[in-house]
Amino acid sequence: MSDTPVTVWIPGDQLLRAHPAIEAAESRSGRRNIRIVLVESDARIAQLPYQRKKIVLILSAMRHYAAALRERGYLVDEVRAPSFAEGLQHHVAQHRSQRLVTMAAAEYETRRFQHETLHALLGIPVDVLPNTQFLVGQYDPFPAIEPSQRVIMERFYRAMRRRFAVLIEPDGSPTGGEWNFDRQNRRPLPRTVAPPPPITFEPDAITRQVMTDVDARGSGVGTATGFALAVTHAQAEAALNDFITNRLAAFGPYEDAMSATHDVVFHSMLSPYVNIGLLEPLQMVRAAEEAYRTGAAPIQSVEGFVRQVIGWREYIYWQYWRLMPALRDANAWNAMRPLPRFFWNGETDMRCLRHVIKRAIATGYTHHIERLMVVCNFCLLAGIRPSEVNDWFLAHYIDAYDWVMQPNVIGMGLNADGGLTATKPYIASAAYINRMSDYCDGCRYNPKQRVGPDACPFNTLYWNFLIQHETTLRANPRLGPAVLGLARLDATERAAIMREAAGLVEGL
Ligand SMILES: Cc1cc2nc3c(=O)[nH]c(=O)nc-3n(C[C@H](O)[C@H](O)[C@H](O)COP(=O)(O)OP(=O)(O)OC[C@H]3O[C@@H](n4cnc5c(N)ncnc54)[C@H](O)[C@@H]3O)c2cc1C
Ligand code: SF4
């Protein structure tokens, strides 16, 4: 065991209970020779006008993490600095560290910083250990595949289920007899069903101080007031338990349902926690699987949730590392319009967008279908530049990080990666939003009209998109039926749609 002082740097989205960098440093140098550093970087916080509740979440969770490590007997240095570089330099100089150990960041730029800058900056050896926050770090189902080749999520997901033995019977078959219960999971929310809202947590003194500090900075989306998220492992586990007990059973059937009244519907609202290490993916799916085995939740819900966590989430991370850095400049539909100003205050007559944007500003959360089929659908149909949409999401959401945003927004939501993430563009007219939500009731627009002063803009833009991209869309077998609908439009209707769509996007 070496006696030289070693620093372990833990970025704020890596608050794992068992952190591999701490374990590695401790077994090499012994607990008394290591010092753990957490850096609050002003530059990182100011990179975008981030959702204030997200900044509170990260800073408060970091401070609680530091306190918990101290209680376990570790030496911890909490540094506030203009940048990560300056914070680490200061720490290393002050404590005369001879080595730095860290775990590879989930995000591209921070990982580059760890690999390419840190050693020269600090003048000491730097060990960057593999990231353990994702299961694909342990097992890559398709290691040899080229970035230009498409791997559909379903293939990836089944490989993960098999490898980690999740919802797999002893004979290797999928539990419940099917791999996928999606067909049963597309119900709108009946008016008589009131989903129980997620558990909330009273801010303690540490969190209250962070809330005051964040609001005092004066920048960022929304307000810290009303922050009630989990900031410790125990609280995040209580949130997981709350979901498993109170919402998982109905998660599947209402997974795609949208509601003007119920923010979370039956979703888990666990992404803010798993993305910063307060929960881990296998822990989440094992808890759901257990609920199925004990009869507390049906297979369609449990499989639906498992698919999100070890299917979509892992796939998205895998795609990110395959497609970066080219992904951030992808713009397959050549969308060049700026983001409308109403995205920053929600002031639009389109009731669905108004609700979703205002909810994102106020809470930092809207569920998956609202992100995909309301916000991204609109931006794709209206031809908004992907990088601007990406930044909007990054700024507004409590669970937003570069690794999850780029494949979801640029890949899945806007189909700007040429179809490498999703096999078809997720576009829909008002008919879909009307079927899956209560937004259209009471909207100033008519979800049944395509043109005219009351026509829903989603309709005008949807049909215009089909007209503009008819040839490309026809080549996609998954969109055949939608494009065939164009045959029912005569030349006069086409001209009216194109004229009104042009007016609409000009007006944005
Ligand atoms: C345009 C767009 C932007 C998105 N931005 C983010 C984001 O910033 N951060 C984020 O974590 N997720 C993002 N997602 C994915 C997904 O919408 C959220 O993970 C989910 O809505 C979080 O809410 P929940 O915890 O209630 O999820 P649930 O519906 O309860 O799902 C369970 C878990 O599955 C995981 N998950 C499901 N789908 C995805 C996915 N496509 N990518 C990654 N994880 C997934 C999440 O960890 C989530 O907590 C985005 C999706 C789209 C289409
Ligand atoms: S009518 Fe159109 S704009 Fe209004 S809520 Fe429905 S889909 Fe949204």
Side-chain angles (χ1 to χ4, degrees):
M1 199 167 282
S2 143
D3 253 359
T4 52
V6 172
T7 285
V8 176
W9 175 38
I10 302 194
D13 60 352
Q14 294 187 355
L15 309 179
L16 294 165
R17 236 188 228 286
H19 198 289
I22 300 179
E23 286 171 0
E26 192 168 353
S27 64
R28 181 193 174 106
S29 306
R31 187 169 295 191
R32 66 189 175 86
N33 290 315
I34 66 170
R35 204 170 280 268
I36 298 163
V37 62
L38 293 116
V39 182
E40 296 181 7
S41 155
D42 290 337
R44 185 69 185 87
I45 291 172
Q47 202 168 314
L48 280 176
Y50 289 113
Q51 167 64 251
R52 293 189 192 181
K53 290 191 173 72
K54 175 186 168 188
I55 301 296
V56 174
L57 170 69
I58 296 176
L59 295 184
S60 175
M62 285 170 74
R63 292 181 194 180
H64 282 92
Y65 189 73
L69 286 172
R70 280 196 194 98
E71 264 173 40
R72 284 166 56 196
Y74 290 99
L75 296 172
V76 183
D77 189 18
E78 292 175 87
V79 180
R80 181 171 171 187
S83 66
F84 287 128
E86 285 158 277
L88 291 171
Q89 272 179 319
H90 178 262
H91 167 91
V92 165
Q94 190 181 12
H95 298 287
R96 297 196 172 84
S97 298
Q98 298 300 309
R99 174 176 289 274
L100 185 122
V101 185
T102 186
M103 181 173 87
E107 300 190 330
Y108 187 84
E109 287 304 333
T110 313
R111 195 177 290 187
R112 260 186 54 182
F113 171 71
Q114 291 171 317
H115 280 294
E116 295 171 20
T117 310
L118 265 185
H119 169 58
L121 181 84
L122 302 176
I124 55 174
V126 173
D127 300 335
V128 183
L129 306 179
N131 186 296
T132 61
Q133 291 172 284
F134 299 85
L135 300 173
V136 282
Q138 294 168 44
Y139 167 66
D140 181 345
F142 306 103
I145 221 131
E146 292 289 317
S148 58
Q149 282 177 281
R150 179 196 284 156
V151 174
I152 60 166
M153 201 291 282
E154 188 66 30
R155 258 185 87 198
F156 178 94
Y157 165 61
R158 290 183 191 188
M160 297 302 274
R161 286 251 310 260
R162 284 198 192 93
R163 166 63 179 75
F164 292 96
V166 178
L167 293 180
I168 295 288
E169 295 304 300
D171 66 359
S173 65
T175 299
E178 312 253 357
W179 288 99
N180 183 328
F181 292 83
D182 257 5
R183 274 191 314 274
Q184 299 175 36
N185 286 353
R186 293 179 188 149
R187 283 165 53 182
L189 191 71
R191 286 188 191 287
T192 48
V193 174
I199 184 173
T200 55
F201 301 90
E202 187 65 31
D204 65 4
I206 295 179
T207 304
R208 286 198 302 274
Q209 182 60 54
V210 178
M211 289 165 70
T212 307
D213 294 348
V214 168
D215 272 341
R217 280 177 196 260
S219 59
V221 165
T223 162
T225 308
F227 179 90
L229 295 172
V231 290
T232 63
H233 293 110
Q235 289 180 341
E237 279 154 19
L240 170 61
N241 191 34
D242 167 67
F243 165 66
I244 300 284
T245 311
N246 298 320
R247 295 191 303 285
L248 173 63
F251 172 86
Y254 302 120
E255 201 178 338
D256 289 0
M258 296 178 278
S259 161
T261 329
H262 305 288
D263 291 5
V264 178
V265 194
F266 287 97
H267 289 265
S268 67
M269 242 217 65
L270 295 175
S271 52
Y273 312 134
V274 67
N275 289 355
I276 61 172
L278 293 184
L279 291 176
E280 297 195 43
L282 262 189
Q283 173 189 20
M284 289 159 67
V285 297
R286 295 279 182 236
E289 192 174 18
E290 173 69 10
Y292 171 70
R293 306 266 179 223
T294 58
I299 187 67
Q300 75 192 88
S301 288
V302 174
E303 187 282 315
F305 180 69
V306 164
R307 164 185 301 274
Q308 303 310 310
V309 180
I310 64 165
W312 277 111
R313 184 171 186 273
E314 296 288 334
Y315 177 74
I316 285 291
Y317 181 73
W318 183 75
Q319 281 286 78
Y320 176 76
W321 281 101
R322 254 158 52 86
L323 303 181
M324 282 297 279
L327 185 60
R328 61 181 160 212
D329 298 321
N331 191 356
W333 297 95
N334 198 24
M336 300 307 284
R337 283 199 187 83
L339 193 73
R341 288 165 73 103
F342 69 75
F343 269 73
W344 294 93
N345 57 23
E347 294 304 329
T348 166
D349 285 344
M350 288 178 270
R351 188 165 183 253
C352 52
L353 267 172
R354 185 169 73 237
H355 267 270
V356 172
I357 293 171
K358 286 190 182 256
R359 186 177 276 168
I361 293 169
T363 69
Y365 177 88
T366 67
H367 71 66
H368 183 72
I369 296 301
E370 292 171 332
R371 302 182 200 202
L372 185 65
M373 300 310 293
V374 177
V375 179
C376 282
N377 183 21
F378 179 83
C379 291
L380 175 53
L381 296 177
I384 312 296
R385 207 177 284 128
S387 57
E388 293 200 27
V389 185
N390 192 64
D391 282 355
W392 181 83
F393 271 102
L394 263 178
H396 283 74
Y397 281 77
I398 39 168
D399 54 6
Y401 299 88
D402 197 59
W403 66 265
V404 67
M405 207 43 94
Q406 306 242 17
N408 270 308
V409 176
I410 295 180
M412 193 189 318
L414 301 178
N415 197 250
D417 62 351
L420 287 170
T421 306
T423 49
K424 61 166 189 175
Y426 283 95
I427 49 170
S429 67
Y432 177 84
I433 297 174
N434 198 16
R435 184 166 71 250
M436 295 309 301
S437 78
D438 54 1
Y439 286 132
C440 301
D441 305 344
C443 179
R444 167 240 178 286
Y445 294 108
N446 184 338
K448 299 218 160 63
Q449 282 183 15
R450 272 199 287 255
V451 286
D454 294 334
C456 167
F458 278 87
N459 288 343
T460 320
L461 294 174
Y462 173 80
W463 287 99
N464 179 61
F465 190 88
L466 294 190
I467 294 168
Q468 303 297 336
H469 301 289
E470 186 171 353
T471 317
T472 316
L473 295 173
R474 255 185 215 292
N476 186 322
R478 292 197 65 197
L479 279 172
V483 190
L484 288 179
L486 279 178
R488 291 196 298 273
L489 299 184
D490 62 24
T492 318
E493 280 175 299
R494 281 180 176 239
I497 287 169
M498 290 194 307
R499 192 177 55 248
E500 290 197 16
L504 259 173
V505 291
E506 279 310 309
L508 291 175

